[in-house]
Amino acid sequence: MSLDRKSNTPLYLQLKNLIIEKIRNGELKPGSFMQTEDELCREYGISRYPVRQALGELVDEGYLQRTRGKGTIVNPELPTQKRETKKQVLGLVLTNLIHDFPADILSGFEKEARKRGYLTVACCSEGDPEEELRCIDMIAELEASGLVVFPCNESRISDRLDSLREKNIYLGIIDRNPGLNEVDYTGSDNIGGAYTAVRHLAMHGFYNVVFVSDMSNVSSVNERMEGYIKAVGDFGLNPLTHISINEDLTKYYHYKHRFFIEKIKDELSELKKSLPVGIFAINDGVALHCMEVLKSEGLVIGKDIGIIGFDNIPEGKNSDVQLTTVAQNGLLLGQTAADIAISKIEGKTAQVYRSIIPTQLIIRSSCGEGM
């Protein structure tokens, strides 16, 4: 038997049902050892996450038992009550799982949901508004108790508000707020993170400052701009210019930003006339490619140019000049969003939440470390 990748049923749920069927028809006998996670990954051609989720739920529901130092076995006793228990489903729609941040959100969300007795179904929109709606519809068809959405740019979540209410399905928003004030929101402190970054530039003598951003119109980008402007005013800095890339970079992964940075190469080169200059970039991908351009101009990063990004992607730490950046706590974001969702579903609270999770400045050699 194989898994159907074209089905709307998540892969982990297909695998879980397949294992249950093997137990019921006697192919997997009580007390026998299950295949390892690696063996299941190879047999069904899927990643470790859906395998781990399927096995975890089968343990929770009494089909399997984990034995310390030996492995996972089919439960010698399969209580009917446990086997037929139906857990509530909680959905999570993300834009992608390419980077650590959304993956951390998923991990924190799933951990909190499982602790509270809920199953997690995750779906990725790949930044496509139409695909985002399809993900929402798929989760709703699974009779989920609720879902939380990481909106893509140009999100059309509002198109589903009425239908979700009619089905009594909870809706929450994470990371970006598309202006749905009546919906619970969990996000990072983008304003505070940007403010702290610009203050750090000022503390290290970079009084001429530049903000490098794109043309996206999502709340997280606008909030970082707000924090930058506030810090510039509070610390009496000289904002040389706002370099704006004429493109919405939220549509692209960080490794594709290089192409768009080339379009502002001349503007970056002009900064040589005003050294030293501090740069606050909208994200790490933009910051890293700006560093490449500036180094090619013979400028010393950390001395002539101080530069700070946002997101704390692994490439920033692994760069030859390690990038100072603002880190978001994806795990806590996911846990908080799931906690709020479940509390609402179970009727423990009726208030509308706006939960802001603190960020952390990670100091490295592009500004501050070793200066």
Side-chain angles (χ1 to χ4, degrees), residues 32-136:
S32 64
F33 279 94
M34 275 295 301
Q35 293 166 278
T36 66
E37 289 183 4
D38 286 340
E39 289 170 341
L40 289 168
C41 288
R42 287 194 296 270
E43 179 174 348
Y44 295 103
I46 57 178
S47 67
R48 188 179 295 273
Y49 179 78
V51 170
R52 185 169 294 168
Q53 187 171 3
L55 294 180
E57 291 182 7
L58 289 167
V59 169
D60 290 344
E61 295 175 21
Y63 286 99
L64 303 179
Q65 283 185 348
R66 289 195 172 106
T67 57
R68 186 181 298 275
K70 293 183 179 180
T72 302
I73 64 170
V74 178
N75 193 344
E77 299 180 1
L78 297 171
T80 302
Q81 184 177 3
K82 280 191 176 182
R83 188 167 65 239
E84 294 180 353
T85 297
K86 181 180 179 181
K87 288 193 174 184
Q88 295 194 79
V89 173
L90 200 58
L92 178 64
V93 180
L94 298 166
T95 53
N96 65 73
L97 284 171
I98 297 296
H99 296 295
D100 289 348
F101 179 56
D104 285 346
I105 289 176
L106 173 58
S107 180
F109 188 91
E110 194 274 336
K111 181 179 179 181
E112 180 66 21
R114 181 180 293 193
K115 184 176 75 174
R116 305 277 287 275
Y118 286 71
L119 308 181
T120 298
V121 175
C123 185
C124 290
S125 69
E126 301 300 337
D128 181 346
E130 291 295 332
E131 190 62 29
E132 181 177 84
L133 293 180
R134 283 191 284 271
C135 287
I136 292 172

